[in-house]
Amino acid sequence: SWFSILTRQHLRRGVYHSVSELTQAIQTYIDVYNHRARPFVWTKPADEVLTKARKPQGIFGTEH
């Protein structure tokens, strides 16, 4: 999830002319992200999430 957020919110919009520019952009994002980070609060109990994750689903990820 975190890499998806990094890509969507920061990297996809940028233009980087070198690996060092990309590395610096990632480090800047990490610093800002860590400064404003808050603990994730789960809205469902772990057992319920794990049960659903283990449940077989249809070919398109939907229940039929």
Side-chain angles (χ1 to χ4, degrees):
S1 292
W2 186 86
F3 289 104
S4 175
I5 293 168
L6 168 67
T7 302
R8 283 184 285 117
Q9 292 184 358
H10 195 69
L11 298 181
R12 190 172 288 152
R13 299 176 187 160
V15 175
Y16 310 101
H17 299 285
S18 68
V19 173
S20 62
E21 279 186 26
L22 175 59
T23 303
Q24 183 58 46
I26 292 170
Q27 187 59 56
T28 300
Y29 183 80
I30 290 170
D31 293 341
V32 170
Y33 186 90
N34 285 339
H35 180 72
R36 63 182 171 92
R38 301 287 182 262
F40 184 80
V41 178
W42 290 95
T43 58
K44 293 186 178 184
D47 292 341
E48 187 176 338
V49 173
L50 293 174
T51 299
K52 186 165 186 166
R54 291 185 192 118
K55 187 175 183 180
Q57 296 183 350
I59 191 167
F60 296 109
T62 58
E63 298 178 33
H64 294 281

